[in-house]
Amino acid sequence: MHDELTKEDIKKMRQELDYRRLELMPGLIEEVKRTRAFGDLSENFEYKAAKQAQNKNRSRIRYLEGMIKSAKIIDDDSAEDEVGLFDKVEIYMPEDDETEVIQVVTTVRCDPRKGLISKESPFGRQVLGKKVGDEFTVQVNDSYSYKARIRSITKMKDDGSAPLLEY
């Protein structure tokens, strides 16, 4: 399976890889060497913490490399009157009588608490391609669904401000 990512996603991943390999890793290696000199490794918390940080960094590097290698590059273009990636969308939910503004983003940049909704989520799949005034139903699970309506669409481009997910 390929992850659908934008050129900006790949660019951000490569930047993080460079940082982790060229800046972070040398410091972590030095910290492991420094803490190893403290003595008995079985009771050396500093050494264990340094090794854990080094392993976490290596794991993140492998994750980013795998994502880049298996990525399918997608465009973030859409019709002028349709919801596309990174567009700001005002959505009305009649059940709660609430309005919310969201952006539909790729899976590696989502953060629902900040209104950044994954295009792969039930909500994101329903919103993409809709027009102002369109009503849709989001099926959360077998026993719960809710209705929503598109109130407005503000066309946006990926400005790189949405950060990559940590994990």
Side-chain angles (χ1 to χ4, degrees):
M1 183 175 139
H2 298 286
D3 289 290
E4 293 182 338
L5 305 174
T6 64
K7 290 177 184 173
E8 185 66 27
D9 291 335
I10 299 296
K11 177 181 167 190
K12 289 178 91 59
M13 288 179 166
R14 286 194 173 124
Q15 288 171 341
E16 183 178 340
L17 270 173
D18 287 346
Y19 165 75
R20 288 184 173 278
R21 286 180 183 144
L22 304 174
E23 295 179 39
L24 192 57
M25 187 59 87
L28 292 171
I29 290 170
E30 277 306 309
E31 183 65 7
V32 168
K33 287 179 187 175
R34 185 184 74 78
T35 57
R36 181 180 286 146
F38 290 172
D40 184 6
L41 297 182
S42 66
E43 296 180 15
N44 186 338
F45 174 77
E46 291 86 357
Y47 174 76
K48 288 178 183 176
K51 285 297 285 182
Q52 190 175 36
Q54 186 181 46
N55 289 337
K56 184 177 179 183
N57 188 53
R58 286 181 175 148
S59 174
R60 180 67 175 178
I61 288 170
R62 284 190 304 274
Y63 168 78
L64 292 169
E65 288 172 339
M67 290 293 286
I68 291 170
K69 186 176 180 180
S70 68
K72 175 185 176 202
I73 304 296
I74 59 171
D75 271 332
D76 58 352
D77 293 333
S78 61
E80 197 58 38
D81 62 343
E82 290 181 348
V83 176
L85 278 177
F86 302 102
D87 294 343
K88 289 204 186 248
V89 185
E90 183 179 339
I91 298 176
Y92 175 68
M93 284 158 288
E95 185 177 303
D96 301 325
D97 193 31
E98 289 183 0
T99 301
E100 190 173 330
V101 176
I102 59 121
Q103 274 185 293
V104 180
V105 298
T106 56
T107 56
V108 296
R109 309 230 337 255
C110 67
D111 186 348
R113 293 171 302 202
K114 294 181 180 175
L116 302 171
I117 307 299
S118 168
K119 70 183 209 62
E120 303 294 330
S121 70
F123 196 86
R125 284 193 303 266
Q126 286 296 319
V127 172
L128 280 177
K130 296 290 190 280
K131 298 178 181 185
V132 173
D134 284 355
E135 227 176 71
F136 56 95
T137 301
V138 179
Q139 189 72 40
V140 177
N141 58 37
D142 291 339
S143 60
Y144 181 68
S145 65
Y146 60 94
K147 293 193 179 297
R149 183 179 327 116
I150 306 291
R151 280 219 169 137
S152 70
I153 302 168
T154 304
K155 298 306 280 183
M156 304 289 287
K157 289 289 182 190
D158 183 4
D159 61 4
S161 63
L164 292 174
L165 286 176
E166 284 298 311
Y167 274 98

